Structure formats: C-alpha cells, structure tokens
Amino acid sequence: MGTKQGDHVFYRDLHRDYPRLVRGEGIYLYDADGKRYIDGSSGALVCSLGHGNREIADHLRIQAETLDFVPIARFTHGPQIELAERLARLGSADLPYAYFVSGGSEAVETAIKMARQYHLERGERGRFLVIAREPSYHGNTIACLAAGGHPGRRRNYEPYLMPSPKIRLPHCASCPYNLQYPSCDLHCANVLESEITGAGAENVSCFLFETITGSCGGVIVPPPGYFGRIAEICRRHGVVILADEVMCGAGRTGPFLASSRFESMPDILILGKGITAGYSPLAALLVSERIYRGFEDGSGAFVNNYTFAANPLSCAAACTVLEIVERDGVLDRVIPAGLYLQSRLIQLAGRHPQLGGVVRAAGLMLALDVYRDREKMEPFPAEEKVGEKLARACLDEGLVIYPALLALADGHGDCFLLGPPLTITVAEIDELVARLGRAVARVFPAA
Ligand SMILES: Cc1ncc(COP(=O)(O)O)c(C=O)c1O
C-alpha cells in the first residue's frame, strides 16, 4: 500500500507530486513548507474575494451553529430566500427566479433537464436535442461532456455521450469559417439556424454556450450582434437559450452577469464558481419568467433533486459574498484592474516570441496563447506538453495559473488563463507579472 504522496487519497494524477496547501490570505496561498504562491487564477476562477476572508468565515460559522442542513424537498430557509432576492437584484430583471444546486456541472445538467421539461409541460414531447458549440467546456458529468466540445475530456466516455450537434465558436481573430467581421454577416451565428432546421426544430430543446469562453478556447468574446442574432434564431424556432456563466459570471468580467455586456439575456443563465468565491460549493440557475410560467401553468413540479442542493451554509456564504461585492463596490475595480493586467501582459509578450501577441481580456478574465510560431499561429505539438511545463515553472516561481486549450478545431494547442481575485491591487499585479516573466524565461530561455 502506498501512494506517491504517501497517503490514502486517490489523486487526479497518480504520478504527480502535489504540494500541500495549509493556508490562504488575500491573493496568497501557503504550502506546508512555508512557500508562498500568488493565486493568479483564483483556483479555477473561483476565489474572487481572495482567501481567508474573516467576514465570510464568521457568517459560515454562525449559519452552521444556527441551521446546518435543510431537506429542501420539504422546507425552505432564510439564506436561500435572501440569496434568490439578491441575485434577482444584482443580476437581470429578465431572470427573476433562482434554482440552487451544488456545482457547475450539476447546474448545467439541471438546465438541460429544465429546458426539456419546459417543452414537455407545453406538450412538445419531441424536443430533446442540445445544440452547443466547439470547442467548449460545460462540466464533467455525462450530459455535460456530451454537450461540451472538449475532445480530451470526452474521449474515454464517447460510448455514453448522447448526440449533440455543434457549431463553431465566434472567434474573429482566427475565424473558423475564414470570414471577416462585419462582412461575414455573423455567419457563425447564422449556422445555428441551419443546424436547427437540419435536425428538425421539433426535436431541438436548447442551445447551450459559454457567454465568454473559458478554459476551452481562452476568453473568446463574441463580436457585437452575435447574441442578438442567436436570440432571434432561437426564439423563431422555440429553442430555449442556456448561457453557461459558471466561469465568466458573478462579476469576473466586470458586470455581475457577462450577458449584460451583450444584446440579449438567455432564458436560463448558469452561475457557479465565484458565486460563493470558493467558501462553499454552490451553483445557481437564474430563470426567466417565461420558463417559470411554463412550469407553473403545467405540472408545477420540476422533476430533479439533489440532497445538498441549496445548502444553507453555501447560500449563507453566497449572501455574504454578494453583500461584500455590493457594499465594497468590488465590481467597479474589475475592468480597470483587468486593463492594467492586460497592458502588463502585452509588455511581457513583447519580450517572448512564444507568447501570443494578443492578450484576450474581459475584466479580470485573461488569456495568453503559447505558440511555436506566433506569426503563423502554429501551436507546439501536444507531446511537448508546453502548457504543463509553463504551469509547473509558474508553481516553482510561486504563481498559480490555469492551463487552457487554444480554440483550434482539433482541440490541441496551449494557452493559459489568468483570473486573480477581483480584489487584487496594482502592486500585486506587478508582482504577479514579474513571477510569470521569470517562469516564461525558464521555459523559453532567450536564444
Ligand atoms: C464554463 C464552465 N461550465 C461548467 C463548469 C463545470 O463546473 P464544476 O467544475 O463546478 O462542475 C466549468 C468548470 O470549469 C466551466 O468552466
């Protein structure tokens, strides 16, 4: 008996050494040897208020002492009611209802089921297909993998994956249709219509997308008009619109909802990660009046439940996070801080030809590509594991980054995400970029 780590944990990668973290404070994490890391990616773009926040910890303790668990099939509770009210206020008037679960994958899967049952309530029994985009990532459960377009994560489980037609990402810098915006007339959105009519609109349940693409593509922001066109097409064909904001929502890009940056709101919007800033697991579906009425005027009962859904501790943590976000004006800092980090990264990329010249950014969600040949946008071969090498060099320099995939059709190529806590200061951004610079220089020493 014995693992590489010398304990009983079944780790994600049994061949890897995992430093043991013992403490977090602000943007910093500390391991058992006293080494200090900058959390440059807020974990997986989760810990938006930084680590070790006493106010949130105190509210969690008080909630645990007052009411620890509620069976939500029988009861409701204060933190759930308060959180739904806060989300209705901070989010969008178009999405007044909130349905709570415990994580992003559960939430995406629940949204797929909610769309399907909405159609059933209206007697449209044939609608089941989920049309989505590729590349994309929507979570790791079977339905999420099926809807998602992440070749590496799908591969082992292909036999279980239901059919889910895909359209390509709206990636103007490297248009998958070889067109130019705006003369393309949003071809990348228009193809959704052919996909729906090809499958038969009477079979299509929903269209699922990341409002701003995260780990599978790296901060791809659609061009103006894209979401307006998507909404027109979906409405014309009775298709429910599902926006996955598990990564880009909860203030990560500046506004509380990333969809507020664009022309239209979806029918269901999914939040996760940053909603509790990592202090407890929670995700939420924000739901439109139309979808809600579909259930209310029908059976009234959404057939879906999880034991830990709407957990009072998690809801209390999220309420405190949103209280801090509103009270301290946290979101007002996001775009200026993101622009400053972007400008520093552009300077860094100027010194290293392997880093993409364009730093894609939406608030404090940023992506840098890594290329063997930047001019030709040619990635390193997958066997070279350059993304992994860079992430390790960053850890050696005391920086956590989030390795991601380039938005290429075959799903290979490296980029990485930066998404530090939204509370990061200018001096801390400078320190982050200095550490990143040293890590990049280790992996790509000057010729
Ligand atoms: C866009 C998106 N959707 C869904 C998920 C799945 O969330 P979780 O890992 O909490 O299940 C993720 C996780 O990274 C994500 O980035």
Side-chain angles (χ1 to χ4, degrees), residues 103-106 108 137-140 210 215 244 246-247 273 402:
S105 305
E106 229 177 61
V108 170
Y137 181 62
H138 293 291
N140 241 323
E210 294 170 73
S215 60
D244 178 349
V246 169
M247 191 174 263
K273 296 183 187 278
Y402 191 97

Side-chain angles (χ1 to χ4, degrees), residues 12 44-46 102-108 136-141 144 153 209-216 244-248 270 272-273 282-283 365 402 417:
R12 300 245 199 126
L45 283 84
V46 175
S102 303
S105 305
E106 229 177 61
V108 170
S136 64
Y137 181 62
H138 293 291
N140 241 323
T141 58
C144 293
R153 291 190 184 166
F209 54 85
E210 294 170 73
T211 310
I212 294 180
T213 300
S215 60
C216 217
D244 178 349
E245 299 203 5
V246 169
M247 191 174 263
C248 62
I270 304 151
K273 296 183 187 278
L282 188 82
M365 182 174 175
Y402 191 97
L417 299 183

Side-chain angles (χ1 to χ4, degrees), residues 66-402:
T66 314
L67 181 63
D68 52 343
F69 179 81
V70 172
I72 53 153
R74 290 276 169 268
F75 298 96
T76 187
H77 57 84
Q80 167 171 244
I81 296 167
E82 181 188 331
L83 181 56
E85 203 175 299
R86 284 182 180 276
L87 288 168
R89 187 172 70 241
L90 257 176
S92 159
D94 293 338
L95 300 168
Y97 304 100
Y99 184 98
F100 299 112
V101 294
S102 303
S105 305
E106 229 177 61
V108 170
E109 186 124 358
T110 298
I112 291 171
K113 290 166 78 177
M114 191 179 273
R116 162 78 180 153
Q117 194 179 328
Y118 167 78
H119 294 302
L120 295 181
E121 299 290 353
R122 295 159 43 86
E124 297 199 68
R125 303 199 63 81
R127 290 191 183 262
F128 76 102
L129 277 176
V130 181
I131 302 183
R133 304 189 307 188
E134 69 188 351
S136 64
Y137 181 62
H138 293 291
N140 241 323
T141 58
I142 296 297
C144 293
L145 286 176
H150 188 308
R153 291 190 184 166
R154 288 171 56 103
R155 194 169 299 123
N156 289 356
Y157 309 107
E158 286 289 348
Y160 303 126
L161 305 185
M162 62 183 178
S164 167
K166 302 282 188 289
I167 62 172
R168 303 281 309 158
L169 278 188
H171 188 10
C172 295
S174 173
C175 175
Y177 303 101
N178 285 321
L179 298 169
Q180 290 279 325
Y181 179 84
S183 61
C184 62
D185 185 34
L186 295 166
H187 182 72
C188 54
N190 297 337
V191 290
L192 176 60
E193 185 138 36
S194 8
E195 212 56 62
I196 294 173
T197 51
E202 69 284 5
N203 300 314
V204 180
S205 173
C206 56
F207 177 55
L208 170 68
F209 54 85
E210 294 170 73
T211 310
I212 294 180
T213 300
S215 60
C216 217
V219 192
I220 309 292
V221 181
Y226 176 83
F227 281 122
R229 186 69 57 85
I230 291 287
E232 261 169 56
I233 295 169
C234 287
R235 301 266 141 78
R236 194 157 48 240
H237 294 285
V239 171
V240 173
I241 306 172
L242 308 182
D244 178 349
E245 299 203 5
V246 169
M247 191 174 263
C248 62
R252 175 52 57 191
T253 75
F256 186 69
L257 304 181
S259 288
S260 311
R261 302 166 66 108
F262 303 104
E263 304 84 22
S264 71
M265 278 291 151
D267 299 306
I268 301 173
L269 186 148
I270 304 151
L271 292 175
K273 296 183 187 278
I275 191 174
T276 61
Y279 284 81
S280 191
L282 188 82
L285 280 69
L286 306 187
V287 181
S288 70
E289 193 70 46
R290 187 164 68 88
I291 301 292
Y292 184 86
R293 293 282 159 236
F295 284 79
E296 197 178 53
D297 298 344
S299 70
F302 178 30
V303 185
N304 187 61
N305 198 24
Y306 304 100
T307 300
F308 288 111
N311 177 267
L313 268 67
S314 298
C315 291
C319 285
T320 314
V321 166
L322 299 188
E323 161 72 18
I324 294 171
V325 163
E326 283 191 273
R327 183 194 66 206
D328 297 354
V330 172
L331 302 188
D332 300 339
R333 314 177 61 246
V334 174
I335 290 179
L339 287 172
Y340 180 66
L341 176 53
Q342 184 184 31
S343 71
R344 295 297 323 272
L345 293 173
I346 291 169
Q347 285 167 6
L348 179 70
R351 296 197 294 277
H352 295 279
Q354 296 85 359
L355 298 182
V358 178
V359 179
R360 292 185 296 281
L364 273 168
M365 182 174 175
L366 300 98
L368 250 174
D369 298 342
V370 184
Y371 292 117
R372 180 154 73 180
D373 186 327
R374 175 154 87 187
E375 303 318 313
K376 295 189 193 146
M377 291 174 83
E378 181 192 322
F380 284 93
E383 320 72 85
E384 286 194 32
K385 295 190 180 328
V386 165
E388 182 53 28
K389 282 182 195 154
L390 189 58
R392 273 168 188 259
C394 284
L395 279 191
D396 291 343
E397 290 295 336
L399 172 66
V400 185
I401 62 169
Y402 191 97

